[in-house]
C-alpha cells in the first residue's frame, strides 16, 4: 500500500525541483550553523550560492563516520539544544557510537517515512504490530513505534529478547505484523517450533526486517517458517534510523524515501559518482533533517541504484538490498567476501540451519577462512561418513560461489549464539 501518493509517486521534473530547493536551503543552513561544514566548504572553495540545482551536489564535501566521531557528542548539531527533543546513537557495531539529534519536526519526518515503510509491508490502522526491535538509544524500537502510531496501528512495544514471552504475546494478542532483525525472526521461528506453535494458524501476516544484511534465501526461510511476507527495511542512525527505505511487495529493491534522503553511489576508493547499475558505496544527503543534517554522508554500505521504474507505481529511487558494509567485507587472498554471500549458499542446503559464523585467521602469511554451520537435529544421528560428505558439499558450493578455498565445519545444533539484535557473523582473529 502506498502511504503518501503525492510524495511517493512524484514526477521526475517535480522531484528535481524539490531536490534543488531543499539542497539550496540545506547548504545555507549547515554553512551557517555547523562550523565543521563551513570549514570544509571554505577549504574546497565552495559557497552556498554556488549550489543552484541538485546537480551541484557533487561540489559538496563528503562526511564520514570519523568526522562524526571527532565531533562527538554534539559538535554536528545545527540547532540549539533547546530545540532538540530526542537523541539516539548507533549500535556501535564498528566502534564508538555516533549521535543523532531530533527536533520535533525531525520526529514528525521520521514518523512519516516509517509509516511509508510499514504501509509498504501492508500495515494499516487495523493491525497489531509486535515490535521486537530494541527500545532505547538504538533507533529500531522507537522508529517502528512512531511509524505505527502515525498509521494508527496498535503497537506492542515488547522490545527485543525474552523469546518465549514473544511467542506467548504473538498468540494471545493476535499480532499481525512482526518487526525485528531477520536473525531474530528466524530464532523466534525456531523457539516457536520447539514449543509446538503452528505459525501458519496465527494471524501474523507480514514483517519489516532489517538492521543487518540478509540474503534472499534467508527471506524464503523466514517466510515459509512464519507463514508471512518478509520485506527488507533499511536505515541508519546517522540519517534518521530505520525508515530510509523499504521494499515493496515486488521485492525488487529498496525504495528510498528520496524526498528526504538523497542517494548517490560512489566508488569508495576514488569518491567518483557511479552510474545506476554500478555497485559502490551508498552516500546520502539528509535534505530535511533539522538537528543533525548531513551532506553526502558515506554510509559504508555497498549497493547500487536500480535503473528504471518499479511496477508498484512508486517513482522513488530504488537500491539493491545491501550486500554488506565496507567494514564487514573480508578480503581473503585478494578476493572480496561478504558474509551474505556465504549465507545465500547455506540456506539452500538440506540438513543445516541458517545459523553460521565465519572465522578468519592468519596462518603464516596466509588468510584462512572457516565457516562453522549448525546441523539440524535430524542430521545429528547420521554416520560420520555422511557428515563429512555434507561438509565437502558445502565447501565446494561456497568455493564455487566465492572462488577461494574455505574450510567448513559442521557444529552441533544450537551451539552458535543466537542474537536478539544484530547477528555477529564474523570472528576475525587476525586483529587479536
Ligand atoms: P551501527 O553502524 O552501529 O550498526 P546502526 O544501528 O545505526 O549503527 O545501524 C545502521 C547500519 O546497519 C547500516 O549502516 C547498515 O550497515 C546496517 N543495516 C541497516 N539496515 C539494513 C538492511 N536492511 N540490510 C543490510 N544492512 C542494514
Ligand atoms: Zn515498488
Amino acid at each position: 500500500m502506498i502511504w503518501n501518493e503525492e510524495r511517493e509517486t512524484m514526477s521526475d521534473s517535480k522531484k528535481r525541483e524539490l531536490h534543488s530547493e531543499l539542497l539550496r536551503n540545506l547548504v545555507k543552513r549547515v554553512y551557517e550553523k555547523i562550523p565543521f561544514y563551513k570549514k570544509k566548504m571554505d577549504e574546497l572553495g565552495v559557497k552556498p550560492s554556488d549550489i543552484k540545482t541538485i546537480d551541484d551536489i557533487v561540489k559538496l564535501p563528503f562526511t564520514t563516520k570519523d568526522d562524526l566521531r571527532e565531533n562527538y557528542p554534539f559538535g554536528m548539531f545545527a540547532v540549539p539544544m533547546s530545540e532538540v527533543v530526542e537523541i539516539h546513537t548507533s549500535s556501535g557495531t564498528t566502534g564508538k557510537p555516533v549521535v543523532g539529534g531530533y527536533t520535533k519536526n525531525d520526529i514528525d519526518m521520521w514518523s512519516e517515512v516509517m509509516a511509508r515503510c510499514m504501509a509498504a509491508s501492508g500495515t494499516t490502522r487495523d493491525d497489531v504490530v509486535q515490535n521486537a526491535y530494541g527500545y532505547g538509544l538504538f533507533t529500531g524500537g522507537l522508529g517502528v513505534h512512531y511509524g505505527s502510531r502515525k498509521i494508527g496501528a496498535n503497537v506492542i512495544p515488547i522490545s527485543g529478547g525474552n523469546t518465549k514471552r514473544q511467542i506467548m504475546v504473538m498468540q494471545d494478542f493476535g499480532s499481525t505484523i512482526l518487526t525485528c532483525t531477520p536473525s531474530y525472526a528466524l530464532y523466534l521461528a525456531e523457539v516457536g517450533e520447539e514449543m509446538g506453535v503452528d505459525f501458519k494458524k496465527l494471524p501474523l501476516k507480514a514483517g519489516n526486517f532489517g538492521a543487518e544484511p540478509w540474503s534472499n534465501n534467508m527471506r524464503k526461510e523466514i517466510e515459509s517458517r512464519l507463514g508471512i511476507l518478509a520485506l527488507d527495511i533499511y536505515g541508519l542512525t546517522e540519517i534518521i534510523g530505520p525508515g530510509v527505505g523499504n521494499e515493496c511487495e515486488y521485492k525488487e529493491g529498496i525504495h528510498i524515501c528520496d524526498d528526504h534522503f538523497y542517494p548517490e553511489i560512489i566508488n569508495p576508493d576514488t569518491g567518483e559518482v557511479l552510474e545506476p547499475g554500478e555497485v559502490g558505496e551508498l552516500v546520502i544527503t539528509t535534505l530535511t533533517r533539522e538537528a543533525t543534517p548531513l551532506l553526502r554522508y558515506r554510509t559504508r554500505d555497498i549497493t547500487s541504484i536500480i535503473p528504471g521504474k518499479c511496477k508498484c507505481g512508486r517513482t522513488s529511487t530504488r537500491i539493491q538490498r545491501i550486500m554488506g558494509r565496507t567494514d564487514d567485507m573480508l578480503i581473503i587472498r585478494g578476493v572480496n567476501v561478504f558474509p551474505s554471500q556465504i549465507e545465500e549458499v547455506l540456506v539452500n542446503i538440506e540438513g543445516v540451519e541458517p545459523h553460521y559464523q565465519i572465522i578468519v585467521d592468519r596462518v603464516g602469511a596466509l588468510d584462512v577462512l572457516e565457516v562453522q554451520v549448525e546441523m539440524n537435529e535430524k542430521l545429528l544421528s547420521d554416520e560420520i561418513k555422511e557428515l563429512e560428505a555434507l561438509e565437502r558439499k558445502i565447501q565446494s558450493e561456497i568455493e564455487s560461489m566465492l572462488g577461494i578455498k574455505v574450510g567448513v565445519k559442521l557444529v552441533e545444533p544450537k551451539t552458535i549464539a543466537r542474537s536478539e539484535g544484530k547477528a555477529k557473523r564474523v570472528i576475525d582473529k587476525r586483529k587479536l
Side-chain angles (χ1 to χ4, degrees):
M1 201 187 65
I2 299 182
W3 174 255
N4 188 332
E5 278 293 333
E6 192 200 323
R7 283 304 180 103
E8 294 179 79
T9 64
M10 213 182 286
S11 71
D12 286 350
S13 61
K14 217 166 150 205
K15 190 148 45 177
R16 210 184 131 74
E17 230 172 81
L18 177 72
H19 280 162
S20 300
E21 186 195 330
L22 291 175
L23 186 68
R24 283 192 299 268
N25 294 341
L26 170 71
V27 171
K28 244 183 259 143
R29 214 151 31 88
V30 301
Y31 189 82
E32 282 164 17
K33 308 280 185 197
I34 307 177
F36 167 84
Y37 281 124
K38 178 168 192 313
K39 183 160 173 277
K40 276 252 172 171
M41 286 176 58
D42 286 347
E43 277 166 12
L44 287 174
V46 194
K47 300 236 150 18
S49 58
D50 296 331
I51 307 301
K52 296 185 176 77
T53 75
I54 189 69
D55 297 333
D56 296 319
I57 197 165
V58 295
K59 298 179 183 160
L60 295 168
F62 291 116
T63 313
T64 65
K65 202 156 192 154
D66 285 337
D67 293 331
L68 303 187
R69 286 184 176 140
E70 276 159 29
N71 288 283
Y72 177 90
F74 304 141
M76 297 292 275
F77 280 48
V79 298
M81 289 313 273
S82 57
E83 295 293 315
V84 175
V85 298
E86 196 165 313
I87 278 174
H88 285 275
T89 70
S90 64
S91 321
T93 310
T94 60
K96 192 169 180 170
V98 300
V99 181
Y102 302 73
T103 63
K104 174 79 177 50
N105 288 335
D106 290 335
I107 297 285
D108 288 347
M109 181 266 277
W110 194 14
S111 309
E112 160 70 21
V113 292
M114 274 307 300
R116 292 182 199 173
C117 292
M118 296 182 65
S121 308
T123 311
T124 68
R125 63 193 311 278
D126 298 320
D127 280 298
V128 178
V129 179
Q130 179 158 347
N131 185 12
Y133 282 111
Y135 278 69
L137 273 178
F138 174 58
T139 50
L142 278 162
V144 167
H145 194 95
Y146 292 140
S148 304
R149 176 186 287 178
K150 175 108 188 177
I151 289 176
N154 175 6
V155 59
I156 306 173
I158 189 164
S159 198
N162 207 336
T163 309
K164 289 203 167 125
R165 188 177 65 160
Q166 299 270 358
I167 307 283
M168 185 190 80
V169 161
M170 188 179 283
Q171 292 173 300
D172 295 350
F173 297 175
S175 310
T176 56
I177 304 285
L178 175 65
T179 55
C180 59
T181 59
S183 53
Y184 192 57
L186 208 57
Y187 182 46
L188 272 170
E190 180 179 287
V191 173
E193 286 156 11
E194 277 167 12
M195 292 164 68
V197 175
D198 182 356
F199 286 102
K200 288 172 192 128
K201 294 218 172 91
L202 297 182
L204 199 67
K205 64 175 190 193
N208 298 73
F209 304 107
E212 63 186 8
W214 51 308
S215 62
N216 268 320
N217 286 332
M218 174 101 153
R219 182 214 306 274
K220 286 186 202 137
E221 183 91 13
I222 292 172
E223 290 189 327
S224 72
R225 286 169 77 170
L226 291 176
I228 61 173
L229 169 74
L231 296 184
D232 194 354
I233 182 164
Y234 171 72
L236 60 165
T237 312
E238 296 90 312
I239 301 305
I240 193 71
V244 172
N246 204 91
E247 285 180 312
C248 68
E249 69 273 24
Y250 290 98
K251 300 175 181 167
E252 288 174 2
I254 293 172
H255 285 275
I256 301 286
C257 297
D258 61 3
D259 51 335
H260 294 286
F261 317 118
Y262 184 81
E264 300 169 271
I265 303 287
I266 62 163
N267 174 331
D269 299 324
T270 62
E272 174 208 358
V273 177
L274 300 178
E275 293 296 315
E278 293 182 321
V279 175
E281 178 180 354
L282 176 65
V283 167
I284 300 178
T285 298
T286 61
L287 295 170
T288 55
R289 182 108 181 239
E290 290 181 347
T292 43
L294 294 174
L295 296 184
R296 307 188 84 200
Y297 182 66
R298 295 186 56 162
T299 65
R300 309 202 211 176
D301 291 325
I302 303 295
T303 181
S304 60
I305 287 178
I306 303 176
K309 293 278 182 278
C310 185
K311 298 195 265 294
C312 69
R314 291 176 183 82
T315 55
S316 41
T317 314
R318 276 176 307 154
I319 56 168
Q320 294 289 358
R321 301 178 66 203
I322 308 293
M323 287 178 67
R325 23 176 138 198
T326 49
D327 325 65
D328 278 351
M329 189 181 78
L330 296 163
I331 303 180
I332 306 291
R333 303 194 282 282
V335 175
N336 299 349
V337 175
F338 284 103
S340 57
Q341 294 174 290
I342 293 175
E343 178 181 300
E344 191 83 42
V345 173
L346 294 179
V347 181
N348 255 351
I349 290 180
E350 198 61 39
V352 302
E353 295 290 315
H355 297 291
Y356 64 97
Q357 220 152 33
I358 299 163
I359 321 275
V360 195
D361 209 346
R362 181 160 290 165
V363 178
L366 205 64
D367 289 334
V368 290
L369 189 151
E370 181 183 83
V371 181
Q372 297 188 345
V373 53
E374 264 183 29
M375 53 187 134
N376 63 24
E377 300 281 352
K378 268 207 304 270
L379 205 69
L380 193 58
S381 54
D382 280 10
E383 300 278 326
I384 296 280
K385 244 186 8 253
E386 287 160 41
L387 296 183
E388 283 172 355
L390 181 62
E391 276 179 352
R392 278 196 303 275
K393 176 179 149 77
I394 299 173
Q395 185 177 8
S396 85
E397 291 202 13
I398 296 178
E399 286 179 355
S400 72
M401 162 79 117
L402 301 179
I404 51 163
K405 283 220 147 325
V406 299
V408 170
K409 192 166 145 205
L410 286 173
V411 299
E412 293 199 2
K414 321 252 155 63
T415 48
I416 290 176
R418 303 293 188 259
S419 102
E420 292 168 0
K422 294 176 192 254
K424 187 166 171 48
R425 303 296 193 190
V426 180
I427 297 177
D428 196 341
K429 294 188 169 162
R430 294 174 302 183
K431 287 180 199 141
L432 299 179

